[in-house]
Amino acid sequence: MAEDKLTKYREKRDFNVTPEPHTSKKTSEKPRFVVQKHKSRNLHYDFRLEVDGVLKSWAVPKGPSVDYTQKRLAIPTEDHPVDYIDFEGIIPEGNYGAGTVIVWDTGTYRNLKEKDGQKVPMEKTIEDGHVEFYLEGEKIKGAYALIHTGREGRKFWLFFKMKELNRNTRDILTERPESVLSGKTIEELEKG
Ligand code: MN
């Protein structure tokens, strides 16, 4: 089943050339998330949630914020295989997403969405366009939401921290630019 969800992912890539993973073997007990910093034509961050054997994915051009007043545009992208969770490396020129990827943050998450006292399955919350979860990352901790919304006929998602008592105005993207796996920045990884 998870295999079918990855058709789009596989069609876009030549695995003889790109070092990107194409399997979903690295399963875990608790569902995980990853934020990958990706310097391709445009620098952006990819936010992925492990749901039902794949990584549901959104590109977040401005990256996540720890300030609940900052709502970030999120564009859905194709499901990724679970083994992408710890991928960092260089995608060669001429390939889809060519450029450099680091694991900017990763950890586990908890689904927060309930209806009538019952947990709503993650898949359903994504279908409904209203996803709420608690992230336990190294850099990012707290309750976040991904909301499918529309304005003037345009549809998009917003990714943001849910409202809390104390506003955190730190710029975590600038303060902590490095990978949580290798400790390297994009530039350091490129130098090898
Ligand atoms: Mn990307």
Side-chain angles (χ1 to χ4, degrees), residues 101-126:
V101 176
I102 60 168
V103 173
W104 182 80
D105 200 14
T106 191
T108 58
Y109 76 85
R110 280 185 291 116
N111 180 9
L112 293 178
K113 192 70 185 164
E114 290 184 1
K115 197 184 173 190
D116 307 325
Q118 297 271 338
K119 274 272 185 296
V120 182
M122 281 299 282
E123 282 236 309
K124 171 94 169 89
T125 68
I126 293 171

PDB file of all heavy atoms in Angstrom, residues 101-126:
ATOM      1  N   VAL A 101      20.861  18.926   0.832  1.00  0.00           N
ATOM      2  CA  VAL A 101      19.842  18.684   1.864  1.00  0.00           C
ATOM      3  C   VAL A 101      20.539  18.372   3.186  1.00  0.00           C
ATOM      4  O   VAL A 101      21.455  17.545   3.230  1.00  0.00           O
ATOM      5  CB  VAL A 101      18.947  17.476   1.472  1.00  0.00           C
ATOM      6  CG1 VAL A 101      17.943  17.161   2.587  1.00  0.00           C
ATOM      7  CG2 VAL A 101      18.220  17.716   0.151  1.00  0.00           C
ATOM      8  N   ILE A 102      20.109  19.035   4.269  1.00  0.00           N
ATOM      9  CA  ILE A 102      20.520  18.612   5.617  1.00  0.00           C
ATOM     10  C   ILE A 102      19.270  18.395   6.480  1.00  0.00           C
ATOM     11  O   ILE A 102      18.213  18.964   6.210  1.00  0.00           O
ATOM     12  CB  ILE A 102      21.468  19.621   6.322  1.00  0.00           C
ATOM     13  CG1 ILE A 102      20.812  20.998   6.479  1.00  0.00           C
ATOM     14  CG2 ILE A 102      22.818  19.711   5.634  1.00  0.00           C
ATOM     15  CD1 ILE A 102      21.568  21.947   7.423  1.00  0.00           C
ATOM     16  N   VAL A 103      19.439  17.571   7.511  1.00  0.00           N
ATOM     17  CA  VAL A 103      18.351  17.348   8.472  1.00  0.00           C
ATOM     18  C   VAL A 103      18.431  18.468   9.501  1.00  0.00           C
ATOM     19  O   VAL A 103      19.243  18.424  10.426  1.00  0.00           O
ATOM     20  CB  VAL A 103      18.461  15.957   9.122  1.00  0.00           C
ATOM     21  CG1 VAL A 103      17.429  15.787  10.236  1.00  0.00           C
ATOM     22  CG2 VAL A 103      18.282  14.868   8.062  1.00  0.00           C
ATOM     23  N   TRP A 104      17.591  19.466   9.315  1.00  0.00           N
ATOM     24  CA  TRP A 104      17.639  20.647  10.189  1.00  0.00           C
ATOM     25  C   TRP A 104      17.064  20.344  11.568  1.00  0.00           C
ATOM     26  O   TRP A 104      17.545  20.844  12.568  1.00  0.00           O
ATOM     27  CB  TRP A 104      16.906  21.816   9.520  1.00  0.00           C
ATOM     28  CG  TRP A 104      16.971  23.054  10.345  1.00  0.00           C
ATOM     29  CD1 TRP A 104      18.017  23.927  10.424  1.00  0.00           C
ATOM     30  CD2 TRP A 104      15.969  23.531  11.253  1.00  0.00           C
ATOM     31  NE1 TRP A 104      17.727  24.917  11.335  1.00  0.00           N
ATOM     32  CE2 TRP A 104      16.482  24.703  11.843  1.00  0.00           C
ATOM     33  CE3 TRP A 104      14.690  23.094  11.615  1.00  0.00           C
ATOM     34  CZ2 TRP A 104      15.759  25.437  12.785  1.00  0.00           C
ATOM     35  CZ3 TRP A 104      13.975  23.817  12.551  1.00  0.00           C
ATOM     36  CH2 TRP A 104      14.509  24.979  13.129  1.00  0.00           C
ATOM     37  N   ASP A 105      16.020  19.527  11.608  1.00  0.00           N
ATOM     38  CA  ASP A 105      15.496  19.065  12.898  1.00  0.00           C
ATOM     39  C   ASP A 105      14.704  17.782  12.683  1.00  0.00           C
ATOM     40  O   ASP A 105      14.161  17.543  11.607  1.00  0.00           O
ATOM     41  CB  ASP A 105      14.596  20.113  13.556  1.00  0.00           C
ATOM     42  CG  ASP A 105      14.440  19.873  15.063  1.00  0.00           C
ATOM     43  OD1 ASP A 105      15.222  19.078  15.617  1.00  0.00           O
ATOM     44  OD2 ASP A 105      13.547  20.485  15.676  1.00  0.00           O
ATOM     45  N   THR A 106      14.674  16.949  13.700  1.00  0.00           N
ATOM     46  CA  THR A 106      13.891  15.718  13.632  1.00  0.00           C
ATOM     47  C   THR A 106      13.545  15.267  15.041  1.00  0.00           C
ATOM     48  O   THR A 106      14.163  15.708  16.017  1.00  0.00           O
ATOM     49  CB  THR A 106      14.642  14.616  12.844  1.00  0.00           C
ATOM     50  OG1 THR A 106      13.754  13.533  12.595  1.00  0.00           O
ATOM     51  CG2 THR A 106      15.864  14.102  13.592  1.00  0.00           C
ATOM     52  N   GLY A 107      12.561  14.399  15.142  1.00  0.00           N
ATOM     53  CA  GLY A 107      12.108  13.883  16.431  1.00  0.00           C
ATOM     54  C   GLY A 107      10.801  13.145  16.251  1.00  0.00           C
ATOM     55  O   GLY A 107      10.453  12.771  15.135  1.00  0.00           O
ATOM     56  N   THR A 108      10.100  12.966  17.353  1.00  0.00           N
ATOM     57  CA  THR A 108       8.803  12.289  17.260  1.00  0.00           C
ATOM     58  C   THR A 108       7.677  13.322  17.354  1.00  0.00           C
ATOM     59  O   THR A 108       7.918  14.483  17.711  1.00  0.00           O
ATOM     60  CB  THR A 108       8.638  11.256  18.393  1.00  0.00           C
ATOM     61  OG1 THR A 108       8.766  11.918  19.643  1.00  0.00           O
ATOM     62  CG2 THR A 108       9.683  10.153  18.290  1.00  0.00           C
ATOM     63  N   TYR A 109       6.475  12.881  17.028  1.00  0.00           N
ATOM     64  CA  TYR A 109       5.320  13.770  17.201  1.00  0.00           C
ATOM     65  C   TYR A 109       4.142  12.987  17.768  1.00  0.00           C
ATOM     66  O   TYR A 109       4.103  11.753  17.691  1.00  0.00           O
ATOM     67  CB  TYR A 109       4.931  14.449  15.888  1.00  0.00           C
ATOM     68  CG  TYR A 109       4.192  13.562  14.908  1.00  0.00           C
ATOM     69  CD1 TYR A 109       2.806  13.404  14.991  1.00  0.00           C
ATOM     70  CD2 TYR A 109       4.859  12.884  13.903  1.00  0.00           C
ATOM     71  CE1 TYR A 109       2.122  12.589  14.099  1.00  0.00           C
ATOM     72  CE2 TYR A 109       4.178  12.061  13.004  1.00  0.00           C
ATOM     73  CZ  TYR A 109       2.811  11.925  13.115  1.00  0.00           C
ATOM     74  OH  TYR A 109       2.128  11.109  12.244  1.00  0.00           O
ATOM     75  N   ARG A 110       3.204  13.725  18.337  1.00  0.00           N
ATOM     76  CA  ARG A 110       1.942  13.154  18.823  1.00  0.00           C
ATOM     77  C   ARG A 110       0.785  13.838  18.124  1.00  0.00           C
ATOM     78  O   ARG A 110       0.758  15.073  18.036  1.00  0.00           O
ATOM     79  CB  ARG A 110       1.797  13.390  20.333  1.00  0.00           C
ATOM     80  CG  ARG A 110       2.576  12.416  21.188  1.00  0.00           C
ATOM     81  CD  ARG A 110       2.280  12.628  22.660  1.00  0.00           C
ATOM     82  NE  ARG A 110       2.818  13.885  23.176  1.00  0.00           N
ATOM     83  CZ  ARG A 110       2.087  14.894  23.646  1.00  0.00           C
ATOM     84  NH1 ARG A 110       0.773  14.823  23.658  1.00  0.00           N
ATOM     85  NH2 ARG A 110       2.668  15.991  24.099  1.00  0.00           N
ATOM     86  N   ASN A 111      -0.140  13.055  17.643  1.00  0.00           N
ATOM     87  CA  ASN A 111      -1.363  13.594  17.055  1.00  0.00           C
ATOM     88  C   ASN A 111      -2.201  14.241  18.157  1.00  0.00           C
ATOM     89  O   ASN A 111      -2.419  13.651  19.207  1.00  0.00           O
ATOM     90  CB  ASN A 111      -2.120  12.417  16.413  1.00  0.00           C
ATOM     91  CG  ASN A 111      -3.425  12.835  15.767  1.00  0.00           C
ATOM     92  OD1 ASN A 111      -3.723  14.023  15.638  1.00  0.00           O
ATOM     93  ND2 ASN A 111      -4.198  11.847  15.345  1.00  0.00           N
ATOM     94  N   LEU A 112      -2.662  15.467  17.928  1.00  0.00           N
ATOM     95  CA  LEU A 112      -3.446  16.163  18.957  1.00  0.00           C
ATOM     96  C   LEU A 112      -4.925  16.269  18.599  1.00  0.00           C
ATOM     97  O   LEU A 112      -5.742  16.683  19.416  1.00  0.00           O
ATOM     98  CB  LEU A 112      -2.909  17.590  19.159  1.00  0.00           C
ATOM     99  CG  LEU A 112      -1.520  17.759  19.759  1.00  0.00           C
ATOM    100  CD1 LEU A 112      -1.162  19.251  19.815  1.00  0.00           C
ATOM    101  CD2 LEU A 112      -1.441  17.145  21.150  1.00  0.00           C
ATOM    102  N   LYS A 113      -5.244  15.897  17.353  1.00  0.00           N
ATOM    103  CA  LYS A 113      -6.597  16.192  16.865  1.00  0.00           C
ATOM    104  C   LYS A 113      -7.623  15.194  17.407  1.00  0.00           C
ATOM    105  O   LYS A 113      -7.522  13.993  17.170  1.00  0.00           O
ATOM    106  CB  LYS A 113      -6.584  16.157  15.331  1.00  0.00           C
ATOM    107  CG  LYS A 113      -7.831  16.707  14.679  1.00  0.00           C
ATOM    108  CD  LYS A 113      -7.947  18.195  14.842  1.00  0.00           C
ATOM    109  CE  LYS A 113      -9.283  18.668  14.280  1.00  0.00           C
ATOM    110  NZ  LYS A 113      -9.599  20.024  14.738  1.00  0.00           N
ATOM    111  N   GLU A 114      -8.588  15.748  18.127  1.00  0.00           N
ATOM    112  CA  GLU A 114      -9.656  14.906  18.680  1.00  0.00           C
ATOM    113  C   GLU A 114     -11.019  15.422  18.245  1.00  0.00           C
ATOM    114  O   GLU A 114     -11.186  16.611  17.987  1.00  0.00           O
ATOM    115  CB  GLU A 114      -9.606  14.934  20.216  1.00  0.00           C
ATOM    116  CG  GLU A 114      -8.413  14.205  20.793  1.00  0.00           C
ATOM    117  CD  GLU A 114      -8.426  14.169  22.311  1.00  0.00           C
ATOM    118  OE1 GLU A 114      -9.373  14.702  22.920  1.00  0.00           O
ATOM    119  OE2 GLU A 114      -7.472  13.614  22.881  1.00  0.00           O
ATOM    120  N   LYS A 115     -11.950  14.481  18.160  1.00  0.00           N
ATOM    121  CA  LYS A 115     -13.339  14.871  17.911  1.00  0.00           C
ATOM    122  C   LYS A 115     -14.211  14.029  18.821  1.00  0.00           C
ATOM    123  O   LYS A 115     -14.063  12.808  18.859  1.00  0.00           O
ATOM    124  CB  LYS A 115     -13.697  14.625  16.440  1.00  0.00           C
ATOM    125  CG  LYS A 115     -14.942  15.371  16.017  1.00  0.00           C
ATOM    126  CD  LYS A 115     -15.345  15.054  14.589  1.00  0.00           C
ATOM    127  CE  LYS A 115     -16.686  15.713  14.301  1.00  0.00           C
ATOM    128  NZ  LYS A 115     -17.232  15.248  13.021  1.00  0.00           N
ATOM    129  N   ASP A 116     -15.090  14.660  19.575  1.00  0.00           N
ATOM    130  CA  ASP A 116     -15.953  13.980  20.551  1.00  0.00           C
ATOM    131  C   ASP A 116     -15.130  13.073  21.473  1.00  0.00           C
ATOM    132  O   ASP A 116     -15.517  11.940  21.740  1.00  0.00           O
ATOM    133  CB  ASP A 116     -17.041  13.163  19.840  1.00  0.00           C
ATOM    134  CG  ASP A 116     -17.838  14.001  18.843  1.00  0.00           C
ATOM    135  OD1 ASP A 116     -18.053  15.193  19.141  1.00  0.00           O
ATOM    136  OD2 ASP A 116     -18.216  13.479  17.783  1.00  0.00           O
ATOM    137  N   GLY A 117     -14.005  13.571  21.937  1.00  0.00           N
ATOM    138  CA  GLY A 117     -13.172  12.827  22.878  1.00  0.00           C
ATOM    139  C   GLY A 117     -12.364  11.692  22.257  1.00  0.00           C
ATOM    140  O   GLY A 117     -11.719  10.943  22.974  1.00  0.00           O
ATOM    141  N   GLN A 118     -12.411  11.553  20.930  1.00  0.00           N
ATOM    142  CA  GLN A 118     -11.683  10.478  20.239  1.00  0.00           C
ATOM    143  C   GLN A 118     -10.589  11.071  19.354  1.00  0.00           C
ATOM    144  O   GLN A 118     -10.817  12.099  18.712  1.00  0.00           O
ATOM    145  CB  GLN A 118     -12.643   9.698  19.318  1.00  0.00           C
ATOM    146  CG  GLN A 118     -13.771   8.991  20.037  1.00  0.00           C
ATOM    147  CD  GLN A 118     -13.401   7.585  20.465  1.00  0.00           C
ATOM    148  OE1 GLN A 118     -12.493   6.980  19.904  1.00  0.00           O
ATOM    149  NE2 GLN A 118     -14.085   7.069  21.471  1.00  0.00           N
ATOM    150  N   LYS A 119      -9.449  10.397  19.304  1.00  0.00           N
ATOM    151  CA  LYS A 119      -8.385  10.818  18.397  1.00  0.00           C
ATOM    152  C   LYS A 119      -8.838  10.627  16.943  1.00  0.00           C
ATOM    153  O   LYS A 119      -9.364   9.574  16.589  1.00  0.00           O
ATOM    154  CB  LYS A 119      -7.133   9.975  18.629  1.00  0.00           C
ATOM    155  CG  LYS A 119      -6.230  10.494  19.733  1.00  0.00           C
ATOM    156  CD  LYS A 119      -5.224  11.512  19.232  1.00  0.00           C
ATOM    157  CE  LYS A 119      -4.231  11.958  20.293  1.00  0.00           C
ATOM    158  NZ  LYS A 119      -4.773  12.684  21.436  1.00  0.00           N
ATOM    159  N   VAL A 120      -8.617  11.619  16.133  1.00  0.00           N
ATOM    160  CA  VAL A 120      -8.899  11.494  14.705  1.00  0.00           C
ATOM    161  C   VAL A 120      -7.626  10.962  14.040  1.00  0.00           C
ATOM    162  O   VAL A 120      -6.550  11.501  14.289  1.00  0.00           O
ATOM    163  CB  VAL A 120      -9.276  12.864  14.090  1.00  0.00           C
ATOM    164  CG1 VAL A 120      -9.621  12.728  12.613  1.00  0.00           C
ATOM    165  CG2 VAL A 120     -10.423  13.504  14.864  1.00  0.00           C
ATOM    166  N   PRO A 121      -7.717   9.891  13.226  1.00  0.00           N
ATOM    167  CA  PRO A 121      -6.492   9.377  12.588  1.00  0.00           C
ATOM    168  C   PRO A 121      -5.780  10.465  11.773  1.00  0.00           C
ATOM    169  O   PRO A 121      -6.443  11.298  11.140  1.00  0.00           O
ATOM    170  CB  PRO A 121      -6.993   8.258  11.676  1.00  0.00           C
ATOM    171  CG  PRO A 121      -8.340   7.894  12.199  1.00  0.00           C
ATOM    172  CD  PRO A 121      -8.906   9.136  12.837  1.00  0.00           C
ATOM    173  N   MET A 122      -4.452  10.441  11.785  1.00  0.00           N
ATOM    174  CA  MET A 122      -3.663  11.445  11.065  1.00  0.00           C
ATOM    175  C   MET A 122      -4.076  11.567   9.599  1.00  0.00           C
ATOM    176  O   MET A 122      -4.199  12.663   9.075  1.00  0.00           O
ATOM    177  CB  MET A 122      -2.171  11.110  11.141  1.00  0.00           C
ATOM    178  CG  MET A 122      -1.513  11.478  12.445  1.00  0.00           C
ATOM    179  SD  MET A 122      -1.568  13.242  12.817  1.00  0.00           S
ATOM    180  CE  MET A 122      -0.265  13.886  11.761  1.00  0.00           C
ATOM    181  N   GLU A 123      -4.247  10.415   8.939  1.00  0.00           N
ATOM    182  CA  GLU A 123      -4.626  10.432   7.521  1.00  0.00           C
ATOM    183  C   GLU A 123      -5.891  11.242   7.289  1.00  0.00           C
ATOM    184  O   GLU A 123      -5.990  11.994   6.335  1.00  0.00           O
ATOM    185  CB  GLU A 123      -4.849   8.997   7.025  1.00  0.00           C
ATOM    186  CG  GLU A 123      -3.568   8.269   6.738  1.00  0.00           C
ATOM    187  CD  GLU A 123      -3.510   7.745   5.315  1.00  0.00           C
ATOM    188  OE1 GLU A 123      -4.466   7.076   4.904  1.00  0.00           O
ATOM    189  OE2 GLU A 123      -2.505   8.017   4.635  1.00  0.00           O
ATOM    190  N   LYS A 124      -6.844  11.052   8.197  1.00  0.00           N
ATOM    191  CA  LYS A 124      -8.130  11.750   8.096  1.00  0.00           C
ATOM    192  C   LYS A 124      -7.943  13.246   8.321  1.00  0.00           C
ATOM    193  O   LYS A 124      -8.530  14.072   7.612  1.00  0.00           O
ATOM    194  CB  LYS A 124      -9.095  11.151   9.128  1.00  0.00           C
ATOM    195  CG  LYS A 124     -10.406  11.881   9.315  1.00  0.00           C
ATOM    196  CD  LYS A 124     -11.502  11.303   8.441  1.00  0.00           C
ATOM    197  CE  LYS A 124     -12.881  11.861   8.813  1.00  0.00           C
ATOM    198  NZ  LYS A 124     -13.201  13.091   8.076  1.00  0.00           N
ATOM    199  N   THR A 125      -7.077  13.617   9.276  1.00  0.00           N
ATOM    200  CA  THR A 125      -6.875  15.044   9.546  1.00  0.00           C
ATOM    201  C   THR A 125      -6.230  15.719   8.328  1.00  0.00           C
ATOM    202  O   THR A 125      -6.536  16.862   8.025  1.00  0.00           O
ATOM    203  CB  THR A 125      -6.011  15.298  10.814  1.00  0.00           C
ATOM    204  OG1 THR A 125      -4.673  14.862  10.589  1.00  0.00           O
ATOM    205  CG2 THR A 125      -6.586  14.608  12.029  1.00  0.00           C
ATOM    206  N   ILE A 126      -5.370  14.975   7.624  1.00  0.00           N
ATOM    207  CA  ILE A 126      -4.733  15.538   6.425  1.00  0.00           C
ATOM    208  C   ILE A 126      -5.777  15.686   5.314  1.00  0.00           C
ATOM    209  O   ILE A 126      -5.842  16.714   4.651  1.00  0.00           O
ATOM    210  CB  ILE A 126      -3.526  14.677   5.989  1.00  0.00           C
ATOM    211  CG1 ILE A 126      -2.412  14.765   7.045  1.00  0.00           C
ATOM    212  CG2 ILE A 126      -2.995  15.127   4.614  1.00  0.00           C
ATOM    213  CD1 ILE A 126      -1.258  13.801   6.858  1.00  0.00           C
TER     214      ILE A 126
END
